[in-house]
Every structure is written in C-alpha cells, then in structure tokens.
Amino acid sequence: MEHSSSPQNFITIYTKCINFAAIKHRNQRRLDSDETPYINHPIGVAYILTEAGITDLEVLQAAILHDTVEDTDTSFEEIESLFGPTVRAIVQEVTDDKSLPKQERKRLQIEHASKKSHQAKLVKLADKIYNLRDLQRCKPKNWTNERCREYFIWAKKVCDNLKGTNESLESILDDIFRQENVN
Ligand SMILES: Nc1nc2c(ncn2[C@@H]2O[C@H](COP(=O)(O)OP(=O)(O)O)[C@@H](OP(=O)(O)OP(=O)(O)O)[C@H]2O)c(=O)[nH]1
Ligand SMILES: [Mn+2]
C-alpha cells in the first residue's frame, strides 16, 4: 500500500490495525486463569518486534493482525482491502489452516518455517517468544505440565527452522530454551 513514512501516517496506519484487531478479538480471552483479553497477545507480539529494533510498518501491522483470520471471522480479503496486499500476504503466511488436524498443523509449521518470507519469519519468531514467555509466566487452564513441555519442544523445532532471520529475537529464544533445558 502506498504510504509516506511520516510519523503521522505511520501512527495512523498502525492505530487502524490495533483498533481493527481489538474489535475482532473483543470477545476472546487468553487461556490463563485470569482470562487476560486476547488482544494483549497481538499487541505484545508487535511490541517484542519494536523492542528488537524492527521498524518495518508492514511487519508491525501483520503482527497486530496475525491471529485475526485464524481465530476470528476475519477474511484475507478484508485484511487486503483495509491494509493492502503485502500485509495480507504476511498474515496469510502465518495463519494455520484450522481445517487440518492439529498434529498436521503443528508438523507443517516445522516443515514450512524455513520457506517463509523474511517479514513472516519475524512475526513467527515474536509470536513464539510471546507464547513461550506466557507459558513461563503461568500454565494455561487445562494444560498439563507435559503439554507445556511438549509446546516448548515443538516451538524449538519451529524456531530452529527460522534461524538467520534476526539476532536479537533469536538470542531471546536461545535464552528461553536454555532456561527450560530444551535442546
Ligand atoms: N502460552 C499460552 N498460549 C495461549 C494462551 N491463550 C491462548 N494461547 C494460544 O494457544 C496457542 C497454542 O496452543 P496449542 O494448543 O499449541 O495450539 P492451537 O490453539 O493451535 O490448537 C497459541 O496460538 P498461536 O498464537 O496461533 O501460536 P502457535 O502456538 O499456534 O504458533 C497461543 O497464542 C495462554 O494463556 N498461554
Ligand atoms: Mn499468535
């Protein structure tokens, strides 16, 4: 999408994304016992990226929008018409096909990670950092210790195939996996 890089436009475009995602996720909660509003997750994913020095607006937009199609009634067409073809493409790359069995979806994340675009890899790395930190903070309702452990082990396999994308994000992940003795 054509946009100037002036701070005014950047903030206007970014805020439009946050507002859209907040409306779409408004009835959703995280799985923690506090039932944290779901929107905390996409905002936190974008924040992880800005803290790592990433200023690519399309990446930050896609981070905010990354779970709208997977987890709400949002369509890719809607994303494209509001935010343009590049943001749509990144969101599409990080969206799991929920019609597939879970095991297959998880396997495909490992298999496809290395083939993603640079922009999509950044969103995937930050998504994993957020979710792994969240698991370190507290166990989701109904998750056993074993399920948490399996998530760490699976996430490591996905992240191994995203290597060479961003040093800062990858060093955060290295620390998390080291803390959890996943190797
Ligand atoms: N750690 C944690 N995760 C929570 C919580 N609430 C919701 N989630 C979401 O749960 C997903 C991970 O749970 P799984 O059982 O492995 O996956 P599934 O939802 O796709 O079946 C993540 O989806 P995702 O963001 O699409 O990422 P991905 O894991 O599928 O890559 C994560 O955002 C929570 O309180 N803690
Ligand atoms: Mn996510």
Side-chain angles (χ1 to χ4, degrees), residues 29-86:
R29 297 289 179 271
R30 298 287 287 172
L31 300 167
D32 58 329
S33 55
D34 287 347
E35 303 189 343
T36 302
Y38 197 86
I39 191 63
N40 283 36
H41 168 61
I43 292 174
V45 171
Y47 182 60
I48 288 165
L49 291 166
T50 60
E51 285 288 285
I54 284 128
T55 55
D56 179 340
L57 178 56
E58 289 161 344
V59 170
L60 301 177
Q61 288 181 273
I64 294 290
L65 300 169
H66 82 273
D67 277 331
T68 56
V69 177
E70 198 172 294
D71 296 337
T72 80
D73 64 3
T74 307
S75 66
F76 292 121
E77 292 70 28
E78 206 176 353
I79 300 278
E80 178 159 351
S81 72
L82 289 167
F83 306 109
T86 306

